[in-house]
Amino acid sequence: TDPARRAVLYPDVYTNHVQVERGKAAVRVLEALGVDVIVPPVASSGRAPLSQGMISTARDHAERVERALAPHIADGRDVVVVEPSDLAMFHREYERLLDDGADRLAANSYEVMEYVYGLLSNGADAGALVPGDGERLAYHSHCQQRTLGLETYTEAVLDERDFDVVTSDAECCGMAGSFGYKQEYYDVSVAVGEDLTAQFRTEETADRAVVASGTSCLDQLEDLLERPSRHPIELLAPE
């Protein structure tokens, strides 16, 4: 990416309606790094219906998303995505849901911390972002983020801004998307998440601020650890 970029922040349903602070923080970070940002109305990615086997509904969402974002991509804007599961839809599932446009969307869409890393690597002023000053963090990356090979960008940006980060090696927080929100699977969800929560209760991590990249991970960690959790982009955002 080039520091003088123009971008669309994809307004996923979680950021729009549940964790709005991470969306506001993403806009402030990108603008601080010299990016012209717009947040247009766009349908949800279709991840939720796809996870329940509702293929036709997911395809309808994918078509609406592609139609809404295509003109912005043609106009030279990058698509920046906060929620990793939505980016995974753009990069993988859309090629099976769309007849056209999937490759173009995949080639021009980025996870938000990946995008910030690219901006900093190409000359954007890191000093425009909030410094970590050694703040101690316990970080968990989203499983879809790791599948796409993007978790290292978050770690690199936080390290550059002088945060002291310990990253979990737990494969899953236990939520598995919408699975863990269902009452009948609560016990299974908590059991799967025990490895992660145990890692964040050690002598090394018990007093660290908790950060995670996905909505479900944030919800799970906040509930089970009884400590507040934030998306990493929120740590960097100037007021």
Side-chain angles (χ1 to χ4, degrees), residues 181-201:
Y181 289 102
K182 296 181 179 181
Q183 182 177 358
E184 61 267 35
Y185 302 134
Y186 176 79
D187 291 340
V188 175
S189 175
V190 172
V192 173
E194 285 179 352
D195 181 33
L196 171 58
T197 54
Q199 290 185 28
F200 284 177
R201 289 192 179 108

Side-chain angles (χ1 to χ4, degrees), residues 18-19 175 181 214-224 229:
V18 182
Q19 293 167 348
M175 290 294 280
Y181 289 102
T215 294
S216 53
C217 308
L218 288 164
D219 284 349
Q220 180 84 313
L221 286 165
E222 190 156 321
D223 287 345
L224 298 183
S229 60

Side-chain angles (χ1 to χ4, degrees), residues 8 60 88 162 210 226 234:
V8 171
D60 174 69
D162 192 31
V210 177
E226 298 182 346
E234 295 179 62

